[in-house]
Amino acid sequence: MSDDPIAKGLPPVDLHEYGGKKDGEKQKTNRRLFMQLLVVDIPEGMDADAHAKELLLRLRDGAIPAVVYADVMHPRGVGLLSWSEDPAHFVTAIRPLFASGSLANARIRSDFAMIGRSYGTGHEPDLEWFLLRRPVENVMNEGFPWHVWYPLRRTGAFAKLEPIDQSHILREHAALGIAYGQTDAAHDVRLACHGLDAEDNEFLIGLIGKELHPLSHLVQAMRKTRQTSEFIAKMGPFFVGRVFGRSSAK
């Protein structure tokens, strides 16, 4: 008897990410980038900026690529965005940062803990750049000090739509993002978090820009799209951060 899963009536499993055609061939890869946001509250009576500076120095000493944020909505809040192709990085490199030093007393905000993975839509002209470099280039851009991060979940009704209907809905949504990006008003990072998010969210979105208002304006404009108005079950919480500093890999 054949051991072929298809012969046994099981669906095929394909874990690759796909992009558009390049040199006449459909692009595919099994590489992707994981990004994680952690937010902590510094204990009352302690200097949050001093803790942020210590965190930044430790990241730079360890050549750990990351962005450290001042939490706009909490005067003692500090955010940490980090990334790696290997999700074990968050356990082996990021976790120890909170095991010692002044950060050991910080309170982790579980409601703002977010993690996601880059994914292809099947149309990207340069799939590897889109998956691995574009998200990093956006968050590390020195001209973009304002970042807003939030998770979202679509309704089950969206998953039941025919692929062509889904495509039309997503195209309307994407057109707004492209328009804001081309005017340099807002740039995005789009990550999937199916099965990774504690609240069962499906996607993690980062909006990045020179000013805060255009990021808010984009979210407002998106409310009118069919995807948001009809098929979004939940959005948020929204983390609003201003970059305190960045750390690069050596």
Side-chain angles (χ1 to χ4, degrees):
M1 182 178 294
S2 172
D3 290 329
D4 185 348
I6 297 179
K8 295 180 178 180
L10 299 177
V13 176
D14 185 354
L15 300 178
H16 291 90
E17 307 292 341
Y18 287 90
K21 285 187 176 181
K22 191 173 185 179
D23 300 326
E25 297 288 335
K26 186 76 170 175
Q27 297 174 84
K28 76 172 184 177
T29 181
N30 201 27
R31 298 175 66 188
R32 56 195 55 82
L33 190 71
F34 289 84
M35 303 189 89
Q36 180 196 63
L37 176 69
L38 294 175
V39 180
V40 299
D41 289 346
I42 304 304
E44 188 174 353
M46 304 182 75
D47 187 342
D49 286 354
H51 283 68
K53 184 177 181 180
E54 177 187 328
L55 173 59
L56 189 59
L57 290 174
R58 293 177 67 182
L59 290 164
R60 288 173 175 171
D61 287 344
I64 300 172
V67 178
V68 176
Y69 299 110
D71 185 346
V72 175
M73 300 302 292
H74 195 306
R76 296 193 308 276
V78 175
L80 169 62
L81 179 75
S82 58
W83 53 87
S84 176
E85 287 188 58
D86 181 3
H89 170 82
F90 305 117
V91 176
T92 60
I94 301 301
R95 184 181 175 95
L97 296 173
F98 298 91
S100 61
S102 59
L103 290 170
N105 296 318
R107 182 175 74 89
I108 301 290
R109 291 285 305 275
S110 59
D111 52 334
F112 281 138
M114 307 179 195
I115 187 171
R117 53 181 173 79
S118 59
Y119 63 95
T121 64
H123 305 289
E124 291 78 15
D126 187 339
L127 182 62
E128 184 172 299
W129 172 80
F130 184 85
L131 293 174
L132 305 178
R133 298 195 298 276
R134 179 182 181 271
V136 177
E137 289 175 7
N138 277 342
V139 301
M140 292 295 281
N141 191 315
E142 293 290 343
F144 302 153
W146 291 101
H147 297 191
V148 175
W149 292 93
Y150 62 96
L152 64 85
R153 181 174 70 247
R154 290 195 291 240
T155 65
F158 183 85
K160 295 180 180 180
L161 293 174
E162 293 296 325
I164 186 65
D165 294 326
Q166 291 183 355
S167 178
H168 289 159
I169 292 170
L170 294 175
R171 190 177 298 119
E172 175 198 23
H173 203 74
L176 269 175
I178 293 170
Y180 278 71
Q182 287 184 344
T183 61
D184 212 27
H187 300 270
D188 66 5
V189 174
R190 302 192 303 273
L191 307 169
C193 57
H194 301 78
L196 304 178
D197 183 81
E199 298 296 326
D200 193 31
N201 288 299
E202 299 173 318
F203 297 95
L204 173 58
I205 308 298
L207 300 179
I208 293 114
K210 295 181 290 187
E211 299 177 277
L212 181 58
H213 169 253
L215 309 185
S216 173
H217 195 275
L218 174 55
V219 174
Q220 180 182 6
M222 290 287 193
R223 301 282 174 162
K224 299 177 182 179
T225 66
R226 191 178 174 203
Q227 175 177 240
T228 303
S229 62
E230 295 185 29
F231 296 105
I232 294 297
K234 180 179 178 292
M235 292 176 65
F238 288 76
F239 172 78
V240 183
R242 194 172 193 281
V243 175
F244 183 90
R246 294 176 170 92
S247 171
S248 301
K250 293 179 181 177

